Amino acid sequence: MVKLIKIPHRMRPPQSRGLSMLEYVERVVSSSTMDELWQMHCDVMASYGFTRLLYGMAASRSRASLGARDDFLILTNIGGGYMDTFINDGLYMHAPMVRWARENAGACSWGWIAENADALTPQEREVVAFNSKHDITAGYSISFVEIGARNIAAIGLIPDPGVSQARTDAIWEEHGRELIAMNNVLHLKILTLPYPNTRKALTKRQREALEWVGEGKTTQDIGVIMGLTPATVEKHLRLAREALDVETTAQAVLKASLQNQIFRIEG
């Protein structure tokens, strides 16, 4: 069962829509944690009328699927039980806009769903009905340009309940270009921050041992460098593999690197 990272959107006075792109970029660049970054982004998007956000990234996708759910990075401010059902019950696999995001890059109005209603599968229609039940009926999706063959990410921008798709499209007509730019900057910053959704964070020793493996050192070399016995080094590597849910140390180095858990400067 994937751990959902529901970084809460603490209600603050809406920011002025006069926030310049430079000011936004400066705030993104200066953010040092996912919590700080996401809170700021939620505030800014709310000032445009998008009060509910859902960002998702899969780092182990294949041609047939988005990969293991435990490898997802999910950021949202949508409360209640919606996300638990949407993700853990697998509804996301049949969400029309998720299908669109897998096949496209760029931005798309959720009006696409109505325009393609006849082509939706029964499972996709069930997701549309589920969303409607939770007052998630209008919005825009942005699918980011892929940075690797196994990586895919997108964000859904959703207005308040009751706001029509026509009104949402009007907002996009006026501000779509800057919204796309801001969300792309957000995505690029997220790629540099440690994942907050790892099932078990690596310890300092585990990170250090993996980093030395990444540098090409043997278990014996690492033992000398860290002042440990080879058996203790292997214990740290084994625990790191278990924490990352992989079979080999090479996989652990790759996964920890993708999640920005190793080779990083401590704050």
Side-chain angles (χ1 to χ4, degrees):
M1 182 176 290
V2 67
K3 179 182 178 184
L4 300 177
I5 305 304
K6 296 178 184 174
I7 299 177
H9 176 205
R10 297 177 290 277
M11 295 306 295
R12 298 175 180 171
Q15 298 189 29
S16 167
R17 195 170 293 176
L19 182 71
S20 72
M21 185 62 66
L22 177 59
E23 289 172 323
Y24 175 82
V25 171
E26 286 175 338
R27 294 184 190 186
V28 169
V29 170
S30 65
S31 297
S32 58
T33 67
M34 204 76 80
D35 192 340
E36 177 187 4
L37 175 66
W38 185 246
Q39 176 64 59
M40 184 276 295
H41 189 69
C42 285
D43 289 339
V44 174
M45 291 299 102
S47 74
Y48 287 88
F50 294 102
T51 55
R52 295 175 290 173
L53 309 181
L54 172 55
Y55 172 94
M57 178 165 63
S60 60
R61 70 176 295 197
S62 66
R63 291 183 180 180
S65 75
L66 293 174
R69 277 182 271 177
D70 285 335
D71 291 339
F72 291 178
L73 171 62
I74 298 172
L75 303 173
T76 186
N77 62 355
I78 300 175
Y82 173 83
M83 289 302 299
D84 292 325
T85 301
F86 186 72
I87 297 297
N88 291 325
D89 287 1
L91 268 65
Y92 71 92
M93 292 188 292
H94 304 292
M97 295 312 299
V98 170
R99 170 160 67 91
W100 180 89
R102 291 181 62 181
E103 299 171 353
N104 301 274
C108 183
S109 166
W110 286 15
W112 180 90
I113 298 174
E115 293 168 4
N116 293 273
D118 292 341
L120 297 182
T121 67
Q123 294 94 330
E124 288 174 333
R125 292 192 183 98
E126 288 179 10
V127 175
V128 172
F130 172 78
N131 284 346
S132 180
K133 213 169 131 187
H134 290 267
D135 292 317
I136 296 177
T137 56
Y140 257 80
S141 290
I142 300 173
S143 181
F144 302 106
V145 175
E146 298 173 13
I147 60 170
R150 305 198 69 193
N151 183 285
I152 185 172
I155 188 168
L157 308 178
I158 308 163
D160 281 327
V163 175
S164 68
Q165 186 61 54
R167 173 57 186 149
T168 304
D169 289 338
I171 295 172
W172 203 268
E173 180 68 24
E174 184 177 359
H175 301 288
R177 186 179 176 190
E178 57 202 270
L179 287 165
I180 290 172
M182 287 178 174
N183 280 276
N184 271 285
V185 171
L186 168 83
H187 172 59
L188 293 174
K189 179 64 177 183
I190 285 174
L191 294 176
T192 72
L193 294 173
Y195 275 32
N197 71 328
T198 48
R199 291 178 299 177
K200 184 178 179 182
L202 297 175
T203 66
K204 183 177 179 180
R205 286 292 201 183
Q206 291 165 7
R207 292 200 307 269
E208 186 178 359
L210 286 177
E211 287 171 351
W212 285 119
V213 171
E215 295 285 355
K217 303 299 183 182
T218 66
T219 301
Q220 288 74 21
D221 294 336
I222 298 171
V224 172
I225 295 169
M226 296 179 63
L228 304 172
T229 65
T232 301
V233 172
E234 180 49 46
K235 181 192 79 171
H236 287 308
L237 294 175
R238 174 178 55 79
L239 292 174
R241 292 193 297 269
E242 291 175 359
L244 293 165
D245 192 29
V246 296
E247 296 181 0
T248 70
T249 300
Q251 289 175 315
V253 171
L254 175 61
K255 190 169 183 178
S257 181
L258 288 172
Q259 294 182 350
N260 297 312
Q261 290 205 70
I262 59 176
F263 298 118
R264 61 185 176 90
I265 299 173
E266 298 293 338

